[in-house]
Amino acid sequence: MRQSFHKLYPIIALLVVAGATLWLERITGGDETRSAAQVRTQPDFTAEQVRMVNFDKTGRQHFELFADRVIHHPQTSVTELDNPRLRYDVSGRELNIAAQHADVLNEGNEVRMSGNVRARRAAIPGSPELTLASSTLTVWPDDEKAQTNDPVTLTQGNSTAQGDAMKADNLYGTLNLIGNARMNIARSTRTTP
């Protein structure tokens, strides 16, 4: 029997050393692992009273984005905005979009606005001011497109339109109300010759 124990002794010794190594690693590495996980969930930067400007390929200012507070989360690449305001100046006609909150995704190519979303396109001669109200709005700033799957109300002058959802494309000048669309178009006043 003594000979069998001598043959198993090296294996038992290796198992004890391996077990001690695992135990030691867990005791010493546990806090570092936990700290690394905690660090990953923390934002990598926070800024207040922010103004970001985007330029087109010709160097002309394309849009401005303002926010009271910006928080970037590196683990998801999502940037949170408090009280975001997006301003376009397209052919001399200003468009402003504001909300209570927004998440910026896809390296700034998509802005998901939520909470009392309001948009206002300035009036020009022959075309009164246009306003939009919804609880959410997703904007693709570079493509000048917007969409909401929530109820939306549009007002232009004395005319109003409502829909269950909306898609808009500023480049093509289209705005589609989706679902149960209702419109109230005010009569224009004509002067008789």
Side-chain angles (χ1 to χ4, degrees):
M1 197 73 162
R2 210 150 171 69
Q3 289 178 338
S4 338
F5 179 72
H6 287 289
K7 290 179 184 177
L8 293 176
Y9 180 74
I11 294 173
I12 293 171
L14 285 174
L15 288 173
V16 169
V17 170
T21 303
L22 287 173
W23 174 76
L24 185 58
E25 181 183 344
R26 285 188 183 180
I27 287 176
T28 59
D31 290 338
E32 291 175 13
T33 305
R34 206 171 303 118
S35 296
Q38 289 172 347
V39 169
R40 283 194 306 265
T41 61
Q42 298 299 320
D44 61 349
F45 76 83
T46 301
E48 295 193 13
Q49 303 305 318
V50 175
R51 175 183 176 240
M52 294 177 262
V53 180
N54 178 276
F55 297 92
D56 64 14
K57 293 177 183 177
T58 66
R60 187 179 63 98
Q61 183 175 318
H62 189 224
F63 64 85
E64 287 179 288
L65 179 63
F66 301 90
D68 290 348
R69 185 176 174 145
V70 175
I71 302 170
H72 181 260
H73 298 277
Q75 71 279 8
T76 59
S77 294
V78 172
T79 303
E80 294 181 26
L81 306 174
D82 290 338
N83 194 24
R85 284 109 43 219
L86 187 62
R87 186 180 85 63
Y88 284 99
D89 187 357
V90 180
S91 303
R93 193 167 189 183
E94 191 172 293
L95 171 66
N96 292 286
I97 306 170
Q100 294 172 342
H101 182 80
D103 289 332
V104 180
L105 302 114
N106 302 322
E107 298 178 4
N109 293 320
E110 182 178 346
V111 180
R112 294 181 185 169
M113 303 177 112
S114 61
N116 197 27
V117 178
R118 299 288 182 257
R120 179 187 164 276
R121 188 174 68 188
I124 57 171
S127 180
E129 174 182 274
L130 174 69
T131 63
L132 172 144
S134 183
S135 60
T136 65
L137 185 68
T138 300
V139 179
W140 292 270
D142 290 333
D143 297 332
E144 296 185 26
K145 293 182 180 180
Q147 172 180 324
T148 181
N149 293 323
D150 291 313
V152 62
T153 300
L154 300 164
T155 305
Q156 186 170 24
N158 294 325
S159 300
T160 59
Q162 297 174 328
D164 295 334
M166 179 209 70
K167 288 184 179 182
D169 188 326
N170 195 45
L171 293 176
Y172 291 103
T174 61
L175 190 142
N176 299 317
L177 291 175
I178 301 165
N180 187 18
R182 300 159 305 284
M183 297 180 73
N184 180 12
I185 300 173
R187 289 184 135 189
S188 62
T189 55
R190 292 188 214 174
T191 56
T192 55

